[in-house]
Every structure is written in C-alpha cells, then in structure tokens.
Amino acid sequence: MDLALTGEGWKNLKGDPAAAEIFRREVSLALLHRDPAKYAVIDRAIEQAKEKGISYVLCKVSTEARKFMKLARAVGAEKYRATAFIRLQPIDQHRVLYGEFQIEHQTAELIMLHFMKRFPKFNVMIVFNSEVFIGRNKEIFRQALGDRKIDLPKAPDEFERYWLAFYRSQYIPERRNIKYLKRMIPKKYWKWVTELKEFGL
C-alpha cells in the first residue's frame, strides 16, 4: 500500500476534489476485499491516478483500473445488500437489536457503523459468519463464536408484524415471480428477508 497517499498525498492526485473523494472512497472499499492480492492492485491504481489522473482510474481505462474498481464494487455491493436485507429485531429489555448475516469480505465493521448510526439509541448485535459484533456507545466489540450458537429470547416485534401486514396487502399471488425474485434478491440472502415468508420461502 502506498503510504505516501495519506494527508497531503491525496492533494497531489490529478483530478478535481470531488473525484478525489470518490477515489478515496473506492480505495477504502477495495482494502476490505478478501483477495490477498488486493494491495498490488490498489498500489497500481494509485500509481495510475498520480500519473494519468483520477478519472483515468475511475473510468476504468486500463486493465489494472478495471481490477481495482471490481474490488471496490464487490465490497460496496456486499455492504449495500447487508443494509438492505438484515432485519434487526429487539431481543430484550436492554435496547438490543439483533441480526445475522453472511459476509465474504471484511465489511462487518462497515455494516455495524451503518446500523449504529441508524439506531443511535440502541445497542446493535450482529452475527457475521462465526463472529459476533456488538456496537455500543460508538464502540464496536468483536468475539469469535467457534462452535457456539446464539439462542436469544426475542421480544415481540411490533414493527415486523406491521411490515408483514403491509406486505400482505401489496402481495398479488397471481403475479408471483420467483425468477424475478431470485434476480433481485440472491438466494443466499433469503433466510434473512422476513417478508419472503409470504412466498413460503
């Protein structure tokens, strides 16, 4: 990783400030990709941004730029799907919201920050693969679960009840289209999407 690209280093990139901010965000996302070869790809993208301008990379002119953007897009897509499909539920009287999700990249903390900002008055607890993350008072705690499973008593979720009632009111059985559903929501996420109960899935 090009350590010179910190602080003043960002200002030396060729491109307007808005493009520089987008490039900085894409670098941040690419760094969270699971591929161990990501550092070489990111370094090359930074070199090209310095030599030929940020737009050269953001517009994916070179093979290296396309690889770099592909890394960033994969991570961004995972974060987007997590924030769209995770259904947090209250679990007890301590204002805890609980959820589960499967991730491929190092996006757990990024996803936690999203929900902590969205629900600032709650403690957020999410199981990602074999680890549990707890967000409380702007801090994130992380614990490996190993073979253990979390089985927590869930408080009645009025929001879920209302959401399902709304969904039933919009659902038209004659228009059921599983093929379209699979395209919009990958099957691996189905178990976390509450409203899919209406499809019997």
Side-chain angles (χ1 to χ4, degrees):
M1 183 67 190
D2 187 349
L3 297 179
L5 199 65
T6 57
E8 293 295 317
W10 289 101
K11 298 178 181 177
N12 297 326
L13 294 174
K14 297 175 182 176
D16 65 75
E21 185 57 35
I22 293 172
F23 183 64
R24 181 201 296 260
R25 185 191 65 203
E26 299 297 304
V27 170
S28 299
L29 291 174
L31 284 169
L32 299 177
H33 199 282
R34 64 176 177 174
D35 187 349
K38 61 190 175 187
Y39 299 109
V41 176
I42 296 169
D43 275 344
R44 186 63 188 134
I46 292 173
E47 289 171 8
Q48 292 187 350
K50 286 180 176 177
E51 295 169 3
K52 302 181 179 182
I54 295 172
S55 297
Y56 183 86
V57 176
L58 295 181
C59 293
K60 298 181 281 189
V61 175
S62 67
T63 301
E64 292 82 2
R66 286 193 288 276
K67 288 181 180 177
F68 165 72
M69 293 300 290
K70 188 175 180 180
L71 293 177
R73 289 288 179 264
V75 174
E78 182 169 272
K79 188 233 178 182
Y80 171 78
R81 286 172 172 165
T83 56
F85 300 143
I86 289 178
R87 301 291 188 261
L88 295 179
Q89 294 183 319
I91 59 171
D92 63 10
Q93 72 278 22
H94 299 298
R95 304 185 70 78
V96 176
L97 297 176
Y98 175 78
E100 299 176 18
F101 200 72
Q102 187 172 351
I103 55 176
E104 295 181 8
H105 307 293
Q106 297 162 349
T107 54
E109 292 191 10
L110 194 64
I111 297 165
M112 288 294 297
L113 290 172
H114 169 87
F115 285 110
M116 289 166 67
K117 183 178 180 181
R118 186 172 176 184
F119 303 107
K121 295 182 180 178
F122 289 86
N123 300 313
V124 176
M125 180 179 183
I126 302 179
V127 172
F128 295 102
N129 306 348
S130 61
E131 292 183 300
V132 59
F133 288 70
I134 299 174
R136 184 173 57 197
N137 299 330
K138 299 183 178 180
E139 288 188 275
I140 298 175
F141 304 90
R142 175 180 179 178
Q143 179 71 48
L145 287 174
D147 295 332
R148 292 174 294 171
K149 290 187 178 180
I150 292 182
D151 186 15
L152 297 169
K154 295 181 180 177
D157 188 352
E158 290 296 309
F159 177 78
E160 182 184 56
R161 191 162 64 85
Y162 293 135
W163 170 244
L164 290 177
F166 169 77
Y167 195 80
R168 287 189 199 101
S169 72
Q170 304 298 307
Y171 176 53
I172 303 173
E174 291 79 10
R175 293 186 179 178
R176 176 185 168 114
N177 188 339
I178 298 299
K179 188 175 179 180
Y180 178 74
L181 174 66
K182 287 179 179 177
R183 195 162 71 242
M184 299 304 294
I185 307 176
K187 194 171 182 178
K188 63 181 179 180
Y189 299 125
W190 286 10
K191 59 184 174 183
W192 292 297
V193 184
T194 308
E195 56 270 29
L196 292 186
K197 294 175 183 175
E198 299 304 311
F199 283 103
L201 300 174

